[in-house]
Amino acid sequence: MGKILRETAKPSSSSCSPSSSSEPATTSSTSITETVKGSHQFKITGYSLSKGIGIGKYIASDIFSVGGYDWAIYFYPDGKSVEDNATYVSLFIALASEGTDVRALFELTLLDQSGKERHKVHSHFERTLESGPYTLKYRGSMWGYKRFFKRTALETSDYLKDDCLSVNCSVGVVRSHTEGPKIYSIAIPSSNIGHQFGQLLETGIGNDVSFEVDGEVFTAHKLVLAARSPVFRAQLFGPMKDHNTRCIKVEDMEAPVFKALLHFIYWDSLPDMQELTGMNTKWATTLMAQHLLAAADRYALERLRLICEASLCEDVAINTVATTLALAEQHHCFQLKAVCLKFIATSENLRAVMQTDGFEYLKESCPPVLTELLEYVARFTEHSDFMCKHRNEAILDGSDINGRRVKQRL
């Protein structure tokens, strides 16, 4: 049997030289100690009935959690210690869950119920503690006062009202951890779920429902539509669902509007309105926003409805404001309605708006809005007249338009 020979390389002079020429690595870490705070209010009703239950016996609050531990407030009506002979009431906060060496800060407050805010407070917070936070060794460990309040004084004080006491307890659990430098740097890309769903719409993969809108057919996915719109969910999966869900005919909607609606459902954003309509005008964009707002309301797409409402508020114009006002009334867009009323109410705008076809549509479709418009115009005119009169009187009186006295020139 042959031997396996190993060749031992001779150490080179460079490998033997110490690496003292390179800088030593410097690392760092930080120890962070902080408190996790929480509080609990404990109301004790029927105080007089609790007296006489016995020294060392307590009334307990409900258990509450702070800093990953459970806590409870213990109130001793006859005191905790036999040697005090029921002269004092005792109040403690107790660790009510498993734990060892739990470090915490506490505050026990007996609330003044007279409204004078003279609460009786015993607190660790906001003061320097010579021995540091209190340490509770095990479940059932307590912090508090055997002689919290003399009973005779308590029963004649403002802390007792309608035979009721109110105690507030704050707990701050002390926690420490060490943070070192991050040894990684991972760039998290932004979510592209909208793009992925959009591609699903554009490719048509797995589509299982069709819509015929104004002679044009659109395909989609039932589950996506149902997830986004409660109306589609009822139409496609509810007890009153359409019998023919392979091809559903959509009435009273134009094809470009339904296309924009589907785009929003999948992409969670609006398409390019000018590209969709084929018209590079502000009027075309406003018109599409009007139709899309109605469609959003029809299919309960609240976010889309608000996007359209905001867009229409920014693009109020003479030739479209009347139809926008009618739309705002029909679909309960109160902010959009207020913007339209304010725009129309000015005298120079009112005359021009009344000459538009949209104003005729407003009169026919929403007569009550005309009454509101007249009232708004009257208030606006009255306010304008008052301001004008006040300004003229001020100037005649020797004041400037801000009411400041000025010296008149001859």
Side-chain angles (χ1 to χ4, degrees), residues 291-312:
H291 283 276
L292 201 51
L293 186 148
D297 193 35
R298 176 174 172 176
Y299 288 102
L301 295 167
E302 181 63 13
R303 182 167 179 270
L304 176 59
R305 189 184 73 84
L306 292 173
I307 289 173
C308 294
E309 182 177 1
S311 175
L312 290 169

Side-chain angles (χ1 to χ4, degrees), residues 374-391:
L374 289 174
E375 292 174 352
Y376 198 97
V377 170
R379 289 198 304 270
F380 185 85
T381 304
E382 183 179 340
H383 178 72
S384 299
D385 290 345
F386 173 80
M387 292 301 295
C388 183
K389 180 181 178 182
H390 178 72
R391 185 181 293 109

Side-chain angles (χ1 to χ4, degrees), residues 49-320:
L49 298 176
S50 69
K51 294 193 298 181
I53 65 171
I55 295 172
K57 293 184 178 180
Y58 58 82
I59 298 170
S61 71
D62 195 9
I63 291 174
F64 59 97
S65 296
V66 178
Y69 297 96
D70 292 338
W71 306 88
I73 303 169
Y74 290 170
F75 175 70
Y76 297 78
D78 294 332
K80 193 173 186 294
S81 299
V82 176
E83 59 266 24
D84 288 330
N85 196 26
T87 304
Y88 295 89
V89 298
S90 304
L91 189 64
F92 284 83
I93 174 72
L95 179 63
S97 61
E98 296 299 332
T100 56
D101 295 330
V102 179
R103 301 176 70 238
L105 303 173
F106 302 104
E107 181 178 278
L108 288 171
T109 304
L110 184 61
L111 299 177
D112 179 359
Q113 301 187 75
S114 68
K116 299 175 183 176
E117 301 289 326
R118 296 175 181 172
H119 310 305
K120 182 176 176 61
V121 182
H122 293 277
S123 178
H124 285 159
F125 297 103
E126 298 178 2
R127 66 187 180 93
T128 303
L129 299 173
E130 294 181 2
S131 57
Y134 193 81
T135 301
L136 291 90
K137 296 290 184 182
Y138 45 80
R139 181 176 184 174
S141 298
M142 300 184 200
W143 174 86
Y145 294 88
K146 293 179 182 179
R147 298 180 175 181
F148 184 76
F149 214 114
K150 202 166 186 177
R151 278 212 321 191
T152 53
L154 175 65
E155 291 166 7
T156 57
S157 70
D158 290 329
Y159 303 111
L160 182 66
K161 182 180 180 182
D162 300 328
D163 206 28
C164 171
L165 296 171
S166 189
V167 175
N168 191 76
C169 175
S170 295
V171 179
V173 177
V174 179
R175 286 186 166 179
S176 299
H177 66 279
T178 301
E179 292 183 356
K182 289 183 178 180
I183 59 173
Y184 62 89
S185 178
I186 301 174
I188 309 297
S190 58
S191 173
N192 62 345
I193 189 172
H195 177 78
Q196 292 169 337
F197 273 93
Q199 291 299 311
L200 196 64
L201 175 66
E202 292 187 359
T203 60
I205 297 174
N207 61 60
D208 54 1
V209 64
S210 299
F211 296 91
E212 184 184 342
V213 187
D214 199 21
E216 194 170 337
V217 177
F218 300 91
T219 59
H221 305 80
K222 291 180 183 179
L223 286 175
V224 176
L225 299 180
R228 295 284 276 157
S229 162
V231 176
F232 276 127
R233 189 182 311 131
Q235 187 177 22
L236 298 171
F237 296 104
M240 303 297 289
K241 67 179 181 181
D242 290 357
H243 296 296
N244 180 19
T245 57
R246 284 298 306 170
C247 187
I248 299 172
K249 192 165 186 178
V250 179
E251 304 287 353
D252 302 322
M253 189 177 297
E254 296 180 14
V257 177
F258 193 80
K259 186 176 182 180
L261 184 79
L262 284 181
H263 186 283
F264 180 83
I265 286 174
Y266 280 81
W267 291 84
D268 200 36
S269 63
L270 290 178
D272 187 315
M273 296 296 195
Q274 294 179 354
E275 181 181 330
L276 189 66
T277 58
M279 294 183 286
N280 188 18
T281 63
K282 196 88 168 176
W283 174 82
T285 302
T286 300
L287 186 63
M288 175 58 78
Q290 290 175 339
H291 283 276
L292 201 51
L293 186 148
D297 193 35
R298 176 174 172 176
Y299 288 102
L301 295 167
E302 181 63 13
R303 182 167 179 270
L304 176 59
R305 189 184 73 84
L306 292 173
I307 289 173
C308 294
E309 182 177 1
S311 175
L312 290 169
C313 283
E314 293 174 2
D315 295 331
V316 177
I318 295 292
N319 59 340
T320 57

